[in-house]
Amino acid sequence: MTPKELAQLTGTGKKVRLTRRQPSDPTLNGYILGVGRTLLLMHCFDDFEPDGYTICRNRDVVKLRQGPYEDWFDHMVRSERLLDGLKLRHRIDLSNWTTAIQSISRHYGQMIVQCEDAEEDVEDFYLGELVAIRSRSIQFRDYDALGYWSPKPTSIAIAEITMVQFDTPYIRIFSRYTREGTPPEMPDTE
């Protein structure tokens, strides 16, 4: 899909289903809010629950569906008044990953950064906050599944980032339960 094709649905309030070439999370359902030269921004839904915002690469979108199924879903969520998220409080600069991540950090704080493998169902998943941006990487302080902050930032190559999420229920809830310290030893599950 070209940015021009994707941009035709920007701001129309029409629900779409995007299929991406990433096997770990191939579909996104929601409303396209912005399209840059290389990135697009969607307000996503998980069934009937608003699920925050996702930025992904345009080049990963292999299919776009907008038809009767999406129109009926749109009718239901509009009737339930679940579309307040179509009015983004702050502009996200979609020029490139650096500007998008800086915008999110400045206005929303925490985010999820994903680096997915296009060939297999494998991804690196980081939940936390931006510390610094370098020319080819970001320094990111993340926390683990028990809410423990990493003692030092992780370096993530910008070229490997495939998706960033922000202002999601997952982030909002999890971020209230983070902690400093050393995580306990986990028992071997094998």
Side-chain angles (χ1 to χ4, degrees), residues 116-133:
E116 303 161 294
D117 187 313
E119 303 304 318
E120 54 187 293
D121 188 3
V122 176
E123 67 179 307
D124 292 326
F125 179 97
Y126 306 93
L127 171 56
E129 59 193 16
L130 179 67
V131 174
I133 293 188

Side-chain angles (χ1 to χ4, degrees), residues 1 23 38 107 147:
M1 307 261 7
T38 60
H107 298 297

Side-chain angles (χ1 to χ4, degrees), residues 96-102 104-105 111-115 126-142 152-164:
N96 55 54
W97 278 126
T98 300
T99 60
I101 290 170
Q102 285 173 325
I104 295 166
S105 178
M111 65 191 87
I112 295 169
V113 176
Q114 291 175 254
C115 302
Y126 306 93
L127 171 56
E129 59 193 16
L130 179 67
V131 174
I133 293 188
R134 310 266 190 265
S135 62
R136 294 189 176 132
S137 66
I138 63 171
Q139 301 302 304
F140 197 77
R141 187 159 185 236
D142 59 327
K152 58 183 181 179
T154 300
S155 182
I156 304 170
I158 292 170
E160 294 180 8
I161 298 171
T162 56
M163 190 161 65
V164 174

Side-chain angles (χ1 to χ4, degrees), residues 7-183:
Q8 289 176 348
L9 290 163
T10 301
T12 62
K14 289 184 177 272
K15 191 249 185 210
V16 299
R17 177 185 173 110
L18 298 182
T19 303
R20 300 180 318 121
R21 69 178 83 245
Q22 307 301 332
S24 61
D25 191 10
T27 58
L28 295 174
N29 290 290
Y31 299 81
I32 298 175
L33 300 182
V35 177
R37 202 170 42 84
T38 60
L39 302 173
L40 73 86
L41 168 65
M42 284 187 75
H43 175 42
C44 291
F45 274 77
D46 180 14
D47 293 326
F48 293 101
E49 298 297 322
D51 198 22
Y53 303 92
T54 297
I55 299 174
C56 68
R57 300 181 303 195
N58 296 339
R59 73 178 190 225
D60 290 338
V61 177
V62 293
K63 186 175 167 186
L64 181 143
R65 187 176 83 186
Q66 201 300 309
Y69 295 111
E70 290 72 30
D71 291 343
W72 184 244
F73 180 91
D74 183 56
H75 166 72
M76 290 185 287
V77 296
R78 281 186 192 286
S79 297
E80 294 294 319
R81 295 187 170 99
L82 296 174
L83 292 177
D84 289 344
L86 295 183
K87 299 174 191 133
L88 201 57
R89 292 186 322 232
H90 304 282
R91 182 182 171 276
I92 301 299
D93 185 343
L94 298 173
S95 299
N96 55 54
W97 278 126
T98 300
T99 60
I101 290 170
Q102 285 173 325
S103 296
I104 295 166
S105 178
R106 184 173 32 259
H107 298 297
Y108 296 93
Q110 293 191 13
M111 65 191 87
I112 295 169
V113 176
Q114 291 175 254
C115 302
E116 303 161 294
D117 187 313
E119 303 304 318
E120 54 187 293
D121 188 3
V122 176
E123 67 179 307
D124 292 326
F125 179 97
Y126 306 93
L127 171 56
E129 59 193 16
L130 179 67
V131 174
I133 293 188
R134 310 266 190 265
S135 62
R136 294 189 176 132
S137 66
I138 63 171
Q139 301 302 304
F140 197 77
R141 187 159 185 236
D142 59 327
Y143 46 91
D144 65 18
L146 293 175
Y148 285 98
W149 283 98
S150 59
K152 58 183 181 179
T154 300
S155 182
I156 304 170
I158 292 170
E160 294 180 8
I161 298 171
T162 56
M163 190 161 65
V164 174
Q165 296 173 296
F166 64 98
D167 200 22
T168 68
Y170 187 88
I171 296 168
R172 286 192 301 272
I173 292 170
F174 213 139
S175 67
R176 292 196 296 260
Y177 297 94
T178 60
R179 49 194 168 169
E180 298 290 343
T182 305

